[in-house]
């Protein structure tokens, strides 16, 4: 079996079929006016650069595969659009990093001396906080299914969690207050969709709707395998099998670069869908983003290796009845 067919087979085994909502809310590529698309690209690029200026070593701490899978399973169980899952992960990550910092500061602790005391305070809240981030994300797009308080309480009860509507409201206010109501931040899916729309203007030989379906699968795979994939990229970049702490700290900005992630996802999708035009797609992505073709190809190579070598992960028990 050649690489292309092996990659496709691995993806189909590891990632569930698209939800029925895709049939109703699929993007209509090619309908965005060019000036609006250009503004969107510039806006995403500026936000990405601003975010990279403010990265800390803690960034990505709450994007572990178990947390991401839990969020995705909740969204699948509630038949929510993929956008909600990625937005929820962004909200959760930003909230948890800031909230943990606030707890250390408020309790007068120094990092490295009292982690257990701080994380014990979060232990009983984490499940509700994760679900609240999903609920908040569902409210951010009018065309998506919004999780009302009754549905939320019933779902949490089905998970064996006793939670009142008042507790959920308090959880929402805690997250919104901690983030100063700034939860409308771009997520990786937004970057992929916008870059695909740009490709639609420049690379007419590419079937954008087919690419979009495949790219969503690749993005989900990369998010579930985030740690090993970026570790492989770090090793390949540094040429060191065991990168030191300083190298890992500098690499955080690469892990948080959503423009790089977006082009990597699309280039991987193009490789799988139609290898004959892969180089052309990479060149177009290089032209659109300014990211070097070598960087795009190297990232694509790492993702493809992990797809090929991936063993279908065991299903998490995050949500009862969350079967695929």
């Amino acid at each position: 079996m050649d690489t292309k067919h092996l990659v496709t087979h691995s993806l189909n085994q590891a990632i569930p079929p698209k939800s029925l909502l895709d049939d109703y809310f699929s993007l209509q590529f090619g309908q965005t006016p060019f000036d609006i698309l250009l503004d969107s690209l510039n806006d995403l690029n500026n936000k990405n650069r601003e975010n990279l200026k403010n990265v800390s070593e803690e960034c990505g701490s709450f994007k572990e595969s178990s947390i991401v899978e839990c969020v995705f399973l909740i969204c699948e169980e509630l038949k929510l659009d993929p956008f909600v899952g990625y937005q929820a992960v962004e909200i959760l990550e930003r909230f948890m990093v800031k909230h943990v910092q606030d707890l250390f500061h408020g309790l007068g602790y120094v990092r490295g001396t009292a982690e257990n005391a701080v994380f014990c305070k979060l232990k009983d809240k984490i499940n509700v906080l994760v679900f609240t981030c999903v609920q908040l994300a569902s409210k951010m797009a009018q065309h998506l299914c919004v999780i009302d308080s009754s549905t939320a309480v019933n779902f949490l009860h089905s998970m064996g969690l006793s939670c009142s509507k008042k507790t959920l409201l308090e959880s929402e206010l805690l997250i919104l207050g901690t983030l100063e109501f700034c939860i409308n931040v771009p997520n990786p899916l937004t970057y992929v969709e916008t870059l695909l729309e740009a490709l639609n203007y420049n690379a007419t030989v590419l079937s954008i709707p087919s690419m979009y379906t495949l790219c969503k699968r690749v993005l989900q795979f990369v998010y579930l395998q985030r740690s090993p994939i970026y570790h492989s990229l770090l090793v390949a970049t540094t040429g060191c099998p065991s990168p030191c702490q300083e190298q890992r700290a500098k690499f955080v900005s690469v892990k948080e670069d959503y423009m790089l992630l977006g082009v990597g996802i699309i280039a991987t999708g193009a490789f799988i869908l139609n290898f004959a035009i892969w180089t052309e797609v990479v060149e177009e992505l290089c032209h659109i983003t300014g990211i070097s073709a070598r960087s795009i190809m190297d990232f694509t190579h790492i993702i493809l290796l992990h797809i090929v070598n991936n063993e279908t992960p065991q299903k998490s028990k995050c949500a009862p009845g969350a079967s695929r």
Side-chain angles (χ1 to χ4, degrees), residues 276-294:
I277 63 169
W278 179 61
T279 303
E280 179 184 340
V281 172
V282 170
E283 290 175 353
E284 287 292 346
L285 290 171
C286 177
H287 175 73
I288 292 169
T289 65
I291 298 174
S292 71
R294 173 50 53 192

Side-chain angles (χ1 to χ4, degrees), residues 22-76:
D22 288 356
D23 294 332
Y24 297 98
F25 299 129
S26 58
L27 291 185
Q28 299 299 314
F29 289 100
Q31 295 186 2
T32 304
F34 182 77
D35 55 340
I36 295 179
L37 176 60
L38 187 60
D39 287 343
S40 297
L41 274 171
N42 287 332
D43 182 57
L44 286 177
N45 188 46
N46 290 336
K47 288 180 178 178
N48 189 54
R49 288 184 177 181
E50 188 64 29
N51 184 55
L52 294 180
K53 290 179 182 178
N54 300 313
V55 294
S56 64
E57 290 188 38
E58 290 79 14
C59 289
S61 300
F62 296 93
K63 291 179 182 176
E64 292 299 319
S65 59
S66 58
I67 297 176
V68 172
E69 184 177 12
C70 184
V71 170
F72 287 173
L73 286 172
I74 290 173
C75 292
E76 183 182 343

Side-chain angles (χ1 to χ4, degrees), residues 145-319:
C145 299
V146 176
I147 307 173
D148 59 40
S149 56
S150 295
T151 301
V153 169
N154 291 336
F155 182 82
L156 289 171
H157 283 174
S158 74
M159 295 178 64
L161 299 173
S162 179
C163 182
S164 65
K165 293 181 180 180
K166 181 173 181 282
T167 300
L168 280 173
L169 178 59
E170 291 173 347
S171 181
E172 278 198 22
L173 292 174
L174 173 63
I175 293 172
L176 291 171
T178 301
L179 296 177
E180 298 179 340
F181 290 81
C182 295
I183 63 172
N184 188 20
V185 294
N187 66 59
L189 184 59
T190 303
Y191 281 84
V192 170
E193 290 174 346
T194 306
L195 288 169
L196 280 175
E197 184 69 53
L199 273 180
N200 189 62
Y201 276 91
N202 300 339
T204 55
V205 295
L206 197 64
S207 173
I208 298 298
S210 298
M211 270 290 292
Y212 179 53
T213 299
L214 180 56
C215 284
K216 284 191 293 184
R217 289 172 175 251
V218 175
L219 178 59
Q220 188 183 64
F221 175 85
V222 171
Y223 243 54
L224 289 170
Q225 300 292 323
R226 185 175 186 273
S227 293
I229 286 175
Y230 277 105
H231 175 72
S232 296
L233 184 60
L234 172 60
V235 170
T237 301
T238 60
C240 178
S242 301
C244 65
Q245 184 57 38
E246 181 181 357
Q247 289 172 318
R248 293 180 182 277
K250 290 181 179 179
F251 195 72
V252 172
S253 60
V254 177
K255 296 170 68 175
E256 296 300 310
D257 189 339
Y258 284 174
M259 195 65 80
L260 174 63
L261 176 60
V263 297
I265 296 300
I266 294 172
T268 302
F271 184 98
I272 299 170
L273 190 65
N274 188 350
F275 177 72
I277 63 169
W278 179 61
T279 303
E280 179 184 340
V281 172
V282 170
E283 290 175 353
E284 287 292 346
L285 290 171
C286 177
H287 175 73
I288 292 169
T289 65
I291 298 174
S292 71
R294 173 50 53 192
S295 295
I296 298 173
M297 290 179 175
D298 287 347
F299 196 15
T300 302
H301 177 69
I302 295 295
I303 295 172
L304 288 168
L305 283 177
H306 278 266
I307 292 174
V308 170
N309 295 328
N310 177 68
E311 293 181 359
T312 304
Q314 294 297 313
K315 201 179 303 298
S316 170
K317 300 299 182 182
C318 170

Side-chain angles (χ1 to χ4, degrees), residues 62 90-104 122 125 129 132-133 136 169-183:
F62 296 93
E90 286 303 306
I91 296 172
L92 179 66
E93 160 78 7
R94 292 165 186 262
F95 163 73
M96 290 299 293
V97 170
K98 182 67 164 60
H99 187 52
V100 170
Q101 291 173 345
D102 291 345
L103 286 176
F104 274 103
L122 293 171
K125 298 180 180 179
L129 289 171
T132 302
C133 289
L136 284 170
L169 178 59
E170 291 173 347
S171 181
E172 278 198 22
L173 292 174
L174 173 63
I175 293 172
L176 291 171
T178 301
L179 296 177
E180 298 179 340
F181 290 81
C182 295
I183 63 172

